[in-house]
Amino acid sequence: MFKHRVKISKASKKARAQLEAQFEVEQGQLNRSGEVVNGSFVLKKK
């Protein structure tokens, strides 16, 4: 389980970094249901 959390964290940070090139980014809540993780980002114009 710990390895999955690390992968999710890295993926989330990578996505955020790419989005921050064009937007102000706020990360929403992450929810996990079994093997599936759902989350959201709030994007605002810079």
Side-chain angles (χ1 to χ4, degrees), residues 3-20:
K3 289 180 183 179
H4 293 296
R5 289 183 187 170
V6 171
K7 288 180 184 179
I8 292 165
S9 178
K10 286 182 182 180
S12 176
K13 287 179 183 178
K14 183 177 179 180
R16 183 181 181 132
Q18 291 175 343
L19 291 168
E20 284 178 333

Side-chain angles (χ1 to χ4, degrees), residues 2-45:
F2 179 71
K3 289 180 183 179
H4 293 296
R5 289 183 187 170
V6 171
K7 288 180 184 179
I8 292 165
S9 178
K10 286 182 182 180
S12 176
K13 287 179 183 178
K14 183 177 179 180
R16 183 181 181 132
Q18 291 175 343
L19 291 168
E20 284 178 333
Q22 296 180 16
F23 302 97
E24 290 182 29
V25 180
E26 295 177 22
Q27 184 169 343
Q29 184 176 355
L30 294 175
N31 297 305
R32 187 171 136 224
S33 177
E35 295 291 320
V36 178
V37 176
N38 293 306
S40 64
F41 290 105
V42 177
L43 306 177
K44 297 179 182 179
K45 290 182 182 179

